[in-house]
Amino acid sequence: MSERENLFRPIHKGIRSMIYDMGSRLGTTDFRDPVATTRIAEELEANLALSTSNCFLCLLSVHSQHEERDFFESVRPHDEDVVDAMLKEHRMIQARVRQVVRACGELQEESDPTRRIELGDRLHMEVSDLFVSYLAHLNNEEALLVPVMWEHFTDEQLRSLRGQFYNRIPLPRFEDWMRWTLPALNPHELVVLLSGMKTDPAPNRFADAMRIAKETLEPDRWSLLEAEVGS
Ligand SMILES: [Fe+2]
Ligand SMILES: [Fe+2]
C-alpha cells in the first residue's frame, strides 16, 4: 500500500459500501407492497433537485460536483485529457441517474401489484447499469487521476486540497459522507484520514468526524483509532 495521500480512496470506499448496501436492499424489496415500493423509491431519489437532500442518487450526483469543483480544476493544468475523460464519465453517469429516476416515477404511479413487480425488475436492471458505470468510474479516477496528482503535488498540497474538499461541504452532508466512509476504511486508512483532518484549517471538521467514528465503528476499532489519533 502506498503511503502517499490518496484523496479519492476513502470517499470511494464509502460510496462502494453505499452501492453494495442499496443493491442488497433493492434486490429484496417486495414491489407488490405499495408502501415498500414508495420507501425504496424515495430512498433512491426523493428531492433530487434539492442540494440538501441526502437521497442515494443525490449523494452519487453531488460527489461528482464536489470533485469537479475541488479536484478536477487543480488537475486540469497538468493533464487536460484525463480530466476531460472523467467529466465525460460524469455526464454518462448523470444520464443513467435520469433513467433510474424515470423508472422510479413509473413504479410509484403503477397501482397494479403484478405490473409493479415487472417495473421493479426494470428498476433493478436500471440501477445495476448505473452501478456498473459508477464502480468502473471510481476505479478509473483512482487509476488515472491519482498518479497525476502524485506527480504534481506534494502530500502537504494534497492534504490542503482534501481540507478544501471537506470544508466546503455543509456539515449535515459531511456527516452523511462520514457515516458511509469511516466504517468502510481499514485501521491504517482511518488513522491517515483522521490525523490529516486534525490539521485542516477552519472550519475544522476533526471533532465531528471523531464523533461520527465513535458512533459508527465497532468498539474495538474505535478504541484503536482513539488511541492513535487522540480526541
Ligand atoms: Fe467522479
Ligand atoms: Fe469519485
Side-chain angles (χ1 to χ4, degrees):
M1 177 167 55
S2 170
E3 294 299 315
R4 297 281 329 258
E5 285 286 343
N6 185 326
L7 302 189
F8 291 87
R9 179 63 54 79
I11 196 154
H12 282 184
K13 276 191 152 187
I15 292 174
R16 289 184 184 102
S17 276
M18 257 172 68
I19 285 175
Y20 305 148
D21 175 73
M22 176 52 81
S24 151
R25 283 183 304 114
L26 186 60
T28 52
T29 297
D30 180 1
F31 290 105
R32 289 170 306 179
D33 176 358
V35 176
T37 301
T38 300
R39 191 186 310 129
I40 197 84
E42 287 187 349
E43 274 186 47
L44 278 165
E45 52 112 36
N47 302 314
L48 186 58
L50 292 183
S51 64
T52 48
S53 175
N54 65 352
C55 75
F56 177 83
L57 296 179
C58 304
L59 292 179
L60 291 192
S61 302
V62 88
H63 173 64
S64 301
Q65 294 163 22
H66 293 160
E67 285 178 331
E68 289 174 22
R69 184 187 59 197
D70 292 318
F71 293 163
F72 289 11
E73 286 317 301
S74 307
V75 176
R76 181 176 285 287
H78 305 293
D79 196 327
E80 199 165 5
D81 291 345
V82 167
V83 171
D84 285 342
M86 294 305 101
L87 282 172
K88 202 170 158 194
E89 291 187 359
H90 280 185
R91 284 196 291 275
M92 204 244 286
I93 284 166
Q94 279 313 114
R96 293 219 180 276
V97 165
R98 287 192 291 275
Q99 306 239 107
V100 172
V101 171
R102 265 196 294 277
C104 280
E106 285 176 38
L107 190 52
Q108 286 177 281
E109 281 165 20
E110 182 57 59
S111 56
D112 174 25
T114 309
R115 176 79 184 123
R116 258 203 320 268
I117 291 173
E118 287 167 26
L119 291 175
D121 285 343
R122 217 187 84 209
L123 173 67
H124 199 187
M125 299 295 265
E126 296 284 6
V127 170
S128 298
D129 278 341
L130 169 64
F131 288 174
V132 168
S133 306
Y134 213 98
L135 290 169
H137 172 66
L138 298 178
N139 284 6
N140 287 342
E141 283 180 334
E142 291 181 37
L144 301 174
L145 281 171
V146 169
V148 180
M149 292 171 116
W150 283 353
E151 191 185 341
H152 295 281
F153 299 106
T154 64
D155 279 340
E156 203 182 334
Q157 288 170 320
L158 292 174
R159 276 192 285 277
S160 136
L161 274 179
R162 183 178 57 201
Q164 174 180 309
F165 180 87
Y166 284 114
N167 283 347
R168 282 186 178 176
I169 299 175
L171 186 58
R173 172 59 52 72
F174 173 81
E175 294 193 7
D176 292 335
W177 283 124
M178 287 301 115
R179 281 179 199 287
W180 284 107
T181 298
L182 298 177
L185 302 184
N186 66 37
H188 178 69
E189 291 165 336
L190 278 170
V191 170
V192 171
L193 180 64
L194 272 299
S195 53
M197 279 185 182
K198 204 172 183 176
T199 62
D200 280 348
N204 184 296
R205 296 272 164 81
F206 174 71
D208 295 301
M210 287 298 272
R211 170 174 50 80
I212 295 161
K214 191 174 182 179
E215 288 168 17
T216 56
L217 296 177
E218 300 83 359
D220 56 331
R221 301 221 306 141
W222 160 249
S223 304
L224 256 174
L225 177 68
E226 194 186 25
E228 289 260 3
V229 184
S231 49

